[in-house]
Amino acid sequence: MNGRFTQWRNWVGFWLLGLCNNFAYVVMLSAAHDILKKQDICLSSEPEFTCFSSQAVLLADILPTLVIKLFAPFVIHKLPYGFRVLFCVIMAATSFLLVSLSSAVWISILGVIFASISSGLGELSFLSLTAFFSRRQLMDGSEEGDICVVTNYSCEKGLLKFVVPLGLVYFAEYFINQGLMELLYFPNFFLSHAEQYRWYQTLYQFGVLLSRSSLCCVKIRKLWALSFLQVVNAVLLLFAVRYQFLPSAWLVFAVVLYEGLLGGAAYVNTFYFISKETEDREREFAMAAASVGDSLGIALAGLAAFPVHRYFCHL
């Protein structure tokens, strides 16, 4: 009975930590259209392509996270977890205040940067923290639902097979989210441009939430298959923007929800199998270091989306 309580306590605790940690980051991306519209940022005078360059918000939201994830795993262990969590809370609260009260673009972007710092440090810390919490133990010492694997290779060598497909998944999906979603606008739909964009982002995040919470039901070992499917999504929507062959926003809603399911599944399965395939003494560092994969993919997607976005805006 005590083991079952501990299992659920750990699951619920980390589910809430992950939900709260990503809150500011997700809100900033979902509100990118509104944040920059408030400051009258526009790259095109065409009414059907009112371009507010959400890639600027994406880069402000991901580059600080990327820097933290690249360097922090080597030194962050010197800071207590309690101090890190307090710092993340302060950064997140400050980000909301800055964006909500801003009267200039640079203040809004600074608020987004603070959200990025909070999210990046929090994600890295909470993933590392999972190394100290186990699932319910069975009589033979294994954990319920575990997959037995060989762990006689270095942590560094084993991480690449996880980091690369995770980075590719996130490159494809954020190329869609911040490069194409603004351009997937249906003028005769009952939702406005800004409302369509918000629903795209909301459905994407809902798909992510569902699939990240599905590990107890299904585990996917073939991470490259998820990468391939996400790239197919990106190519499909790129052609949809170029040739305008999608008949309604309802179809885009379905694709975006599916995109979120793929992204969340790639994330949760990546870190699950990393935790299973690394030794105890390497697990805390491995979980933190591997988190750079999604951030690197997102940062590259933001850079790639700039020329694509500008090209379509000026057609």
Side-chain angles (χ1 to χ4, degrees):
M1 183 66 181
N2 185 57
R4 175 66 66 176
F5 171 78
T6 300
Q7 179 187 38
W8 278 101
R9 181 202 64 184
N10 293 348
W11 281 356
V12 172
F14 279 102
W15 188 84
L16 290 174
L17 287 173
L19 192 66
C20 295
N21 181 71
N22 288 338
F23 184 75
Y25 170 84
V26 168
V27 167
M28 296 305 170
L29 284 184
S30 300
H33 196 282
D34 300 282
I35 290 172
L36 295 182
K37 183 178 180 181
K38 176 183 175 183
Q39 311 297 342
D40 294 326
I41 302 300
C42 186
L43 297 180
S44 174
S45 59
E46 294 295 324
E48 67 271 22
F49 287 122
T50 311
C51 304
F52 296 103
S53 189
S54 61
Q55 302 86 40
V57 175
L58 172 64
L59 291 177
D61 213 9
I62 198 59
L63 289 181
T65 291
L66 178 60
V67 172
I68 289 172
K69 290 182 178 181
L70 282 173
F71 299 104
F74 301 99
V75 296
I76 198 66
H77 60 277
K78 297 179 181 179
L79 291 177
Y81 280 99
F83 176 81
R84 299 188 221 173
V85 173
L86 178 61
F87 181 76
C88 291
V89 170
I90 293 173
M91 288 289 101
T94 304
S95 73
F96 282 113
L97 289 173
L98 286 174
V99 172
S100 62
L101 301 176
S102 70
S103 57
V105 175
W106 71 269
I107 298 178
S108 296
I109 296 299
L110 183 62
V112 174
I113 290 173
F114 278 26
S116 177
I117 293 172
S118 171
S119 176
L121 181 61
E123 182 182 14
L124 181 147
S125 298
F126 297 141
L127 284 172
S128 299
L129 197 58
T130 61
F132 300 100
F133 293 84
S134 62
R135 296 175 178 83
R136 185 162 64 92
Q137 298 291 319
L138 302 177
M139 294 181 68
D140 62 358
S142 63
E143 294 179 3
E144 186 176 35
D146 276 359
I147 297 176
C148 296
V149 295
V150 178
T151 59
N152 59 355
Y153 57 89
S154 72
C155 176
E156 293 82 0
K157 179 182 178 181
L159 285 182
L160 283 179
K161 66 180 182 181
F162 296 108
V163 172
V164 174
L166 180 65
L168 184 57
V169 166
Y170 273 79
F171 172 82
E173 68 188 71
Y174 275 85
F175 180 80
I176 296 170
N177 293 357
Q178 309 308 129
L180 302 178
M181 277 188 183
E182 280 184 294
L183 307 176
L184 290 165
Y185 170 51
F186 297 84
N188 297 322
F189 201 63
F190 70 94
L191 296 175
S192 68
H193 189 183
E195 289 170 335
Q196 289 179 42
Y197 179 81
R198 284 195 293 268
W199 270 107
Y200 292 152
Q201 294 287 351
T202 299
L203 288 170
Y204 161 75
Q205 296 296 345
F206 182 69
V208 170
L209 177 63
L210 284 179
S211 56
R212 285 195 184 188
S213 305
S214 67
L215 192 61
C216 60
C217 302
V218 61
K219 298 176 179 66
I220 302 174
R221 187 65 181 82
K222 296 181 179 180
L223 301 176
W224 281 107
L226 298 176
S227 302
F228 172 76
L229 292 174
Q230 199 69 290
V231 170
V232 170
N233 279 343
V235 173
L236 169 66
L237 293 180
L238 180 64
F239 278 98
V241 170
R242 178 63 182 87
Y243 296 106
Q244 300 290 301
F245 59 78
L246 294 180
S248 169
W250 292 112
L251 185 56
V252 182
F253 288 162
V255 174
V256 167
L257 178 63
Y258 170 61
E259 172 206 351
L261 291 172
L262 289 177
Y267 185 94
V268 73
N269 282 279
T270 292
F271 288 102
Y272 173 77
F273 285 106
I274 288 175
S275 72
K276 299 299 108 184
E277 298 190 15
T278 52
E279 298 177 359
D280 291 343
R281 61 188 178 87
E282 299 173 329
R283 190 169 297 129
E284 182 182 9
F285 171 80
M287 296 292 279
S291 67
V292 75
D294 61 334
S295 298
L296 183 59
I298 295 171
L300 293 175
L303 294 173
F306 263 117
V308 173
H309 195 275
R310 288 181 65 87
Y311 170 75
F312 284 118
C313 279
H314 291 89
L315 279 179

